[in-house]
Amino acid sequence: MPKPTVEPAADIPLDAKLRPTQARAQDTYEVVLATAGELLIESGFEQLTTNAICKRAGLTPPALYRYFPNKYAILKELGDRLMRLQDEAVFAWMEAGGLEGATASERVAKTAGLLTDVIDMTRRFPGGAAIGRALRAVPMLQQLRFASRDMVAGQFGEVLAARFPSVSPVRIRTATRMMVELTYAATEMAVEEPGQDAGALAEEIGRLFDCYFETFDTEL
């Protein structure tokens, strides 16, 4: 049977202790993160330890602890980076008029292109799938996901409100939360199932969104 996830105590620090400024220190910092990503792929978050990271990276424990107090802080930094990449892709899509298009096929293609990009970057990110699982499973780390979700939903809501001024704010909020959660779910499905056709999945999500927005001219 799989071992249960051990929850960290509420007072365990989650922030990096030091942000390196010199090249050598930056190299060490990045080696810790890259090695943690490799080990996450191989054995998952439950088996990840700072000792294992040090052994694989050829570092002493004091070298690691100079920057990170524990493995949760390392995962938080990896999660921050992954969420930031995903969020930046969504914001760029919004700014480029991702919801706009003269035809349904054009709009669907734009949305599918965004989701395909997000899936690809998550698959390529060191330990991406394991990071996603840990962010869902560890309550202390779920706040990363929630903060990303709320920020994206907030900006998405502004775009929708401008496009559909007659739609109530309540419906806009509900729609944006639904869209963000559906996008997360589709990304997780594709990342957790390597054989999943990301393009086909993204296109279906694009169709769902486009059909859904056709109802926005009428309050339900």
Side-chain angles (χ1 to χ4, degrees), residues 94-118:
M94 289 184 197
E95 291 177 4
L99 291 176
E100 304 298 330
T103 65
S105 60
E106 182 181 350
R107 295 189 297 271
V108 169
K110 284 185 176 181
T111 301
L114 166 68
L115 186 52
T116 300
D117 288 345
V118 170

PDB file of all heavy atoms in Angstrom, residues 94-118:
ATOM      1  N   MET A  94      -4.743  36.642 -23.368  1.00  0.00           N
ATOM      2  CA  MET A  94      -5.805  37.632 -23.183  1.00  0.00           C
ATOM      3  C   MET A  94      -5.460  38.932 -23.896  1.00  0.00           C
ATOM      4  O   MET A  94      -6.286  39.524 -24.597  1.00  0.00           O
ATOM      5  CB  MET A  94      -6.005  37.912 -21.691  1.00  0.00           C
ATOM      6  CG  MET A  94      -6.637  36.799 -20.895  1.00  0.00           C
ATOM      7  SD  MET A  94      -6.887  37.359 -19.182  1.00  0.00           S
ATOM      8  CE  MET A  94      -7.117  35.788 -18.354  1.00  0.00           C
ATOM      9  N   GLU A  95      -4.224  39.413 -23.694  1.00  0.00           N
ATOM     10  CA  GLU A  95      -3.808  40.682 -24.284  1.00  0.00           C
ATOM     11  C   GLU A  95      -3.825  40.634 -25.807  1.00  0.00           C
ATOM     12  O   GLU A  95      -4.044  41.647 -26.472  1.00  0.00           O
ATOM     13  CB  GLU A  95      -2.409  41.050 -23.785  1.00  0.00           C
ATOM     14  CG  GLU A  95      -2.364  41.419 -22.305  1.00  0.00           C
ATOM     15  CD  GLU A  95      -0.953  41.709 -21.835  1.00  0.00           C
ATOM     16  OE1 GLU A  95      -0.030  41.702 -22.688  1.00  0.00           O
ATOM     17  OE2 GLU A  95      -0.774  41.939 -20.625  1.00  0.00           O
ATOM     18  N   ALA A  96      -3.607  39.437 -26.342  1.00  0.00           N
ATOM     19  CA  ALA A  96      -3.603  39.278 -27.799  1.00  0.00           C
ATOM     20  C   ALA A  96      -5.003  39.046 -28.356  1.00  0.00           C
ATOM     21  O   ALA A  96      -5.159  38.744 -29.545  1.00  0.00           O
ATOM     22  CB  ALA A  96      -2.688  38.123 -28.191  1.00  0.00           C
ATOM     23  N   GLY A  97      -6.024  39.178 -27.506  1.00  0.00           N
ATOM     24  CA  GLY A  97      -7.399  38.987 -27.964  1.00  0.00           C
ATOM     25  C   GLY A  97      -7.766  37.530 -28.124  1.00  0.00           C
ATOM     26  O   GLY A  97      -8.417  37.151 -29.107  1.00  0.00           O
ATOM     27  N   GLY A  98      -7.378  36.728 -27.153  1.00  0.00           N
ATOM     28  CA  GLY A  98      -7.608  35.291 -27.253  1.00  0.00           C
ATOM     29  C   GLY A  98      -9.052  34.879 -27.416  1.00  0.00           C
ATOM     30  O   GLY A  98      -9.338  33.840 -28.007  1.00  0.00           O
ATOM     31  N   LEU A  99      -9.975  35.672 -26.900  1.00  0.00           N
ATOM     32  CA  LEU A  99     -11.394  35.329 -27.010  1.00  0.00           C
ATOM     33  C   LEU A  99     -12.037  35.844 -28.291  1.00  0.00           C
ATOM     34  O   LEU A  99     -13.184  35.506 -28.588  1.00  0.00           O
ATOM     35  CB  LEU A  99     -12.162  35.895 -25.808  1.00  0.00           C
ATOM     36  CG  LEU A  99     -11.884  35.244 -24.453  1.00  0.00           C
ATOM     37  CD1 LEU A  99     -12.651  35.982 -23.367  1.00  0.00           C
ATOM     38  CD2 LEU A  99     -12.271  33.787 -24.468  1.00  0.00           C
ATOM     39  N   GLU A 100     -11.295  36.664 -29.010  1.00  0.00           N
ATOM     40  CA  GLU A 100     -11.859  37.282 -30.200  1.00  0.00           C
ATOM     41  C   GLU A 100     -11.593  36.435 -31.443  1.00  0.00           C
ATOM     42  O   GLU A 100     -10.640  35.664 -31.498  1.00  0.00           O
ATOM     43  CB  GLU A 100     -11.263  38.676 -30.399  1.00  0.00           C
ATOM     44  CG  GLU A 100     -11.431  39.594 -29.198  1.00  0.00           C
ATOM     45  CD  GLU A 100     -12.882  39.870 -28.868  1.00  0.00           C
ATOM     46  OE1 GLU A 100     -13.716  39.865 -29.799  1.00  0.00           O
ATOM     47  OE2 GLU A 100     -13.193  40.097 -27.684  1.00  0.00           O
ATOM     48  N   GLY A 101     -12.449  36.595 -32.446  1.00  0.00           N
ATOM     49  CA  GLY A 101     -12.277  35.883 -33.701  1.00  0.00           C
ATOM     50  C   GLY A 101     -13.504  36.044 -34.566  1.00  0.00           C
ATOM     51  O   GLY A 101     -14.637  36.076 -34.063  1.00  0.00           O
ATOM     52  N   ALA A 102     -13.299  36.141 -35.864  1.00  0.00           N
ATOM     53  CA  ALA A 102     -14.416  36.358 -36.777  1.00  0.00           C
ATOM     54  C   ALA A 102     -15.287  35.121 -36.920  1.00  0.00           C
ATOM     55  O   ALA A 102     -16.476  35.222 -37.232  1.00  0.00           O
ATOM     56  CB  ALA A 102     -13.889  36.798 -38.142  1.00  0.00           C
ATOM     57  N   THR A 103     -14.703  33.943 -36.711  1.00  0.00           N
ATOM     58  CA  THR A 103     -15.450  32.692 -36.856  1.00  0.00           C
ATOM     59  C   THR A 103     -15.245  31.826 -35.633  1.00  0.00           C
ATOM     60  O   THR A 103     -14.285  31.999 -34.873  1.00  0.00           O
ATOM     61  CB  THR A 103     -14.975  31.918 -38.099  1.00  0.00           C
ATOM     62  OG1 THR A 103     -13.606  31.519 -37.899  1.00  0.00           O
ATOM     63  CG2 THR A 103     -15.090  32.776 -39.354  1.00  0.00           C
ATOM     64  N   ALA A 104     -16.136  30.865 -35.469  1.00  0.00           N
ATOM     65  CA  ALA A 104     -16.013  29.929 -34.355  1.00  0.00           C
ATOM     66  C   ALA A 104     -14.710  29.138 -34.451  1.00  0.00           C
ATOM     67  O   ALA A 104     -14.033  28.914 -33.440  1.00  0.00           O
ATOM     68  CB  ALA A 104     -17.208  28.981 -34.337  1.00  0.00           C
ATOM     69  N   SER A 105     -14.354  28.723 -35.653  1.00  0.00           N
ATOM     70  CA  SER A 105     -13.136  27.925 -35.805  1.00  0.00           C
ATOM     71  C   SER A 105     -11.898  28.718 -35.416  1.00  0.00           C
ATOM     72  O   SER A 105     -10.953  28.173 -34.825  1.00  0.00           O
ATOM     73  CB  SER A 105     -13.007  27.420 -37.245  1.00  0.00           C
ATOM     74  OG  SER A 105     -12.946  28.500 -38.159  1.00  0.00           O
ATOM     75  N   GLU A 106     -11.903  30.020 -35.696  1.00  0.00           N
ATOM     76  CA  GLU A 106     -10.770  30.867 -35.311  1.00  0.00           C
ATOM     77  C   GLU A 106     -10.683  30.998 -33.797  1.00  0.00           C
ATOM     78  O   GLU A 106      -9.600  30.904 -33.213  1.00  0.00           O
ATOM     79  CB  GLU A 106     -10.905  32.243 -35.949  1.00  0.00           C
ATOM     80  CG  GLU A 106      -9.742  33.173 -35.647  1.00  0.00           C
ATOM     81  CD  GLU A 106      -9.908  34.551 -36.264  1.00  0.00           C
ATOM     82  OE1 GLU A 106     -10.837  34.728 -37.091  1.00  0.00           O
ATOM     83  OE2 GLU A 106      -9.127  35.455 -35.907  1.00  0.00           O
ATOM     84  N   ARG A 107     -11.813  31.203 -33.154  1.00  0.00           N
ATOM     85  CA  ARG A 107     -11.828  31.345 -31.700  1.00  0.00           C
ATOM     86  C   ARG A 107     -11.423  30.039 -31.024  1.00  0.00           C
ATOM     87  O   ARG A 107     -10.659  30.027 -30.047  1.00  0.00           O
ATOM     88  CB  ARG A 107     -13.215  31.794 -31.231  1.00  0.00           C
ATOM     89  CG  ARG A 107     -13.605  33.194 -31.711  1.00  0.00           C
ATOM     90  CD  ARG A 107     -14.881  33.669 -31.051  1.00  0.00           C
ATOM     91  NE  ARG A 107     -16.044  32.841 -31.394  1.00  0.00           N
ATOM     92  CZ  ARG A 107     -16.832  33.048 -32.444  1.00  0.00           C
ATOM     93  NH1 ARG A 107     -16.581  34.052 -33.284  1.00  0.00           N
ATOM     94  NH2 ARG A 107     -17.883  32.275 -32.675  1.00  0.00           N
ATOM     95  N   VAL A 108     -11.949  28.927 -31.525  1.00  0.00           N
ATOM     96  CA  VAL A 108     -11.601  27.621 -30.965  1.00  0.00           C
ATOM     97  C   VAL A 108     -10.106  27.367 -31.117  1.00  0.00           C
ATOM     98  O   VAL A 108      -9.443  26.876 -30.190  1.00  0.00           O
ATOM     99  CB  VAL A 108     -12.413  26.501 -31.648  1.00  0.00           C
ATOM    100  CG1 VAL A 108     -11.863  25.120 -31.270  1.00  0.00           C
ATOM    101  CG2 VAL A 108     -13.884  26.603 -31.260  1.00  0.00           C
ATOM    102  N   ALA A 109      -9.545  27.706 -32.275  1.00  0.00           N
ATOM    103  CA  ALA A 109      -8.121  27.487 -32.519  1.00  0.00           C
ATOM    104  C   ALA A 109      -7.265  28.298 -31.555  1.00  0.00           C
ATOM    105  O   ALA A 109      -6.229  27.820 -31.058  1.00  0.00           O
ATOM    106  CB  ALA A 109      -7.777  27.834 -33.963  1.00  0.00           C
ATOM    107  N   LYS A 110      -7.690  29.528 -31.252  1.00  0.00           N
ATOM    108  CA  LYS A 110      -6.931  30.365 -30.323  1.00  0.00           C
ATOM    109  C   LYS A 110      -6.925  29.762 -28.919  1.00  0.00           C
ATOM    110  O   LYS A 110      -5.888  29.692 -28.249  1.00  0.00           O
ATOM    111  CB  LYS A 110      -7.527  31.776 -30.270  1.00  0.00           C
ATOM    112  CG  LYS A 110      -7.189  32.647 -31.466  1.00  0.00           C
ATOM    113  CD  LYS A 110      -7.730  34.045 -31.235  1.00  0.00           C
ATOM    114  CE  LYS A 110      -7.340  34.987 -32.363  1.00  0.00           C
ATOM    115  NZ  LYS A 110      -7.848  36.367 -32.113  1.00  0.00           N
ATOM    116  N   THR A 111      -8.091  29.341 -28.463  1.00  0.00           N
ATOM    117  CA  THR A 111      -8.181  28.741 -27.129  1.00  0.00           C
ATOM    118  C   THR A 111      -7.420  27.425 -27.068  1.00  0.00           C
ATOM    119  O   THR A 111      -6.700  27.148 -26.094  1.00  0.00           O
ATOM    120  CB  THR A 111      -9.651  28.515 -26.733  1.00  0.00           C
ATOM    121  OG1 THR A 111     -10.343  29.761 -26.758  1.00  0.00           O
ATOM    122  CG2 THR A 111      -9.764  27.908 -25.350  1.00  0.00           C
ATOM    123  N   ALA A 112      -7.557  26.621 -28.109  1.00  0.00           N
ATOM    124  CA  ALA A 112      -6.840  25.342 -28.146  1.00  0.00           C
ATOM    125  C   ALA A 112      -5.335  25.560 -28.165  1.00  0.00           C
ATOM    126  O   ALA A 112      -4.578  24.808 -27.527  1.00  0.00           O
ATOM    127  CB  ALA A 112      -7.272  24.539 -29.372  1.00  0.00           C
ATOM    128  N   GLY A 113      -4.891  26.595 -28.866  1.00  0.00           N
ATOM    129  CA  GLY A 113      -3.464  26.892 -28.911  1.00  0.00           C
ATOM    130  C   GLY A 113      -2.926  27.263 -27.542  1.00  0.00           C
ATOM    131  O   GLY A 113      -1.836  26.831 -27.150  1.00  0.00           O
ATOM    132  N   LEU A 114      -3.697  28.063 -26.805  1.00  0.00           N
ATOM    133  CA  LEU A 114      -3.284  28.419 -25.446  1.00  0.00           C
ATOM    134  C   LEU A 114      -3.162  27.177 -24.575  1.00  0.00           C
ATOM    135  O   LEU A 114      -2.140  26.965 -23.908  1.00  0.00           O
ATOM    136  CB  LEU A 114      -4.290  29.385 -24.821  1.00  0.00           C
ATOM    137  CG  LEU A 114      -4.157  29.561 -23.299  1.00  0.00           C
ATOM    138  CD1 LEU A 114      -2.855  30.271 -22.958  1.00  0.00           C
ATOM    139  CD2 LEU A 114      -5.360  30.297 -22.732  1.00  0.00           C
ATOM    140  N   LEU A 115      -4.203  26.357 -24.559  1.00  0.00           N
ATOM    141  CA  LEU A 115      -4.195  25.192 -23.676  1.00  0.00           C
ATOM    142  C   LEU A 115      -3.096  24.207 -24.068  1.00  0.00           C
ATOM    143  O   LEU A 115      -2.442  23.624 -23.198  1.00  0.00           O
ATOM    144  CB  LEU A 115      -5.562  24.498 -23.701  1.00  0.00           C
ATOM    145  CG  LEU A 115      -5.750  23.348 -22.717  1.00  0.00           C
ATOM    146  CD1 LEU A 115      -5.390  23.758 -21.300  1.00  0.00           C
ATOM    147  CD2 LEU A 115      -7.181  22.831 -22.774  1.00  0.00           C
ATOM    148  N   THR A 116      -2.861  24.039 -25.345  1.00  0.00           N
ATOM    149  CA  THR A 116      -1.778  23.161 -25.793  1.00  0.00           C
ATOM    150  C   THR A 116      -0.435  23.673 -25.291  1.00  0.00           C
ATOM    151  O   THR A 116       0.414  22.896 -24.833  1.00  0.00           O
ATOM    152  CB  THR A 116      -1.756  23.068 -27.330  1.00  0.00           C
ATOM    153  OG1 THR A 116      -3.005  22.532 -27.779  1.00  0.00           O
ATOM    154  CG2 THR A 116      -0.638  22.154 -27.806  1.00  0.00           C
ATOM    155  N   ASP A 117      -0.240  24.985 -25.362  1.00  0.00           N
ATOM    156  CA  ASP A 117       1.008  25.571 -24.871  1.00  0.00           C
ATOM    157  C   ASP A 117       1.175  25.345 -23.374  1.00  0.00           C
ATOM    158  O   ASP A 117       2.273  25.013 -22.893  1.00  0.00           O
ATOM    159  CB  ASP A 117       1.041  27.079 -25.163  1.00  0.00           C
ATOM    160  CG  ASP A 117       1.247  27.384 -26.637  1.00  0.00           C
ATOM    161  OD1 ASP A 117       1.649  26.469 -27.381  1.00  0.00           O
ATOM    162  OD2 ASP A 117       0.998  28.543 -27.042  1.00  0.00           O
ATOM    163  N   VAL A 118       0.101  25.527 -22.613  1.00  0.00           N
ATOM    164  CA  VAL A 118       0.166  25.337 -21.159  1.00  0.00           C
ATOM    165  C   VAL A 118       0.465  23.879 -20.823  1.00  0.00           C
ATOM    166  O   VAL A 118       1.273  23.589 -19.940  1.00  0.00           O
ATOM    167  CB  VAL A 118      -1.152  25.794 -20.501  1.00  0.00           C
ATOM    168  CG1 VAL A 118      -1.190  25.385 -19.024  1.00  0.00           C
ATOM    169  CG2 VAL A 118      -1.315  27.304 -20.624  1.00  0.00           C
TER     170      VAL A 118
END
